[in-house]
Amino acid sequence: MNRIRKGDQVLVITGKNKGQRGDVLRVAGDRVFVSNVNLVKRHTKPNPQANQAGGIVEREASIHLSNVQLFNPATNKGERVGSKTLADGRKVRVFRSNGEVVDA
């Protein structure tokens, strides 16, 4: 079970973007793309078929999973995540600090 999923709000815990918070746009293996975090400038050629203009485009680059933590709104901090099987057989993510269920 993945600890970080698309749509989660995460906190960057190390690197040049330390302390920044954002939503996960996509997960690619052991790397994540977080909205408005780790922005890079990419020189792009125009592509008329995709109706895409050329020029310098600013977009998100990936961050390693180990450099982000799931954000807990209750404590306002990034926290570690574990998994737990409920009585009905569902497997859910829980915060390690207080055992609160992340998935609804």
Side-chain angles (χ1 to χ4, degrees):
M1 170 178 267
N2 290 342
R3 292 190 166 116
I4 307 284
R5 295 182 188 162
K6 178 181 176 180
D8 286 344
Q9 192 169 46
V10 294
L11 180 72
V12 180
I13 57 172
T14 186
K16 67 177 183 179
N17 300 107
K18 180 178 180 176
Q20 289 186 355
R21 208 167 72 200
D23 294 323
V24 175
L25 300 173
R26 67 184 165 117
V27 179
D30 62 350
R31 303 189 74 81
V32 291
F33 292 82
V34 183
S35 62
N36 296 321
V37 176
N38 197 22
L39 294 173
V40 293
K41 290 187 188 309
R42 172 130 174 88
H43 296 257
T44 310
K45 288 177 95 174
N47 185 352
Q49 290 177 333
N51 201 16
Q52 184 180 30
I56 301 172
V57 180
E58 198 168 38
R59 67 179 192 186
E60 293 89 1
S62 66
I63 302 174
H64 197 270
L65 268 175
S66 65
N67 296 336
V68 297
Q69 279 187 331
L70 198 60
F71 182 74
N72 187 350
T75 60
N76 233 17
K77 293 180 184 174
E79 294 192 6
R80 295 184 302 152
V81 179
S83 61
K84 180 178 173 183
T85 307
L86 297 178
D88 61 354
R90 286 189 305 141
K91 197 172 179 185
V92 293
R93 297 179 296 164
V94 294
F95 286 116
R96 290 277 178 100
S97 62
N98 56 6
E100 183 185 327
V101 176
V102 177
D103 307 318

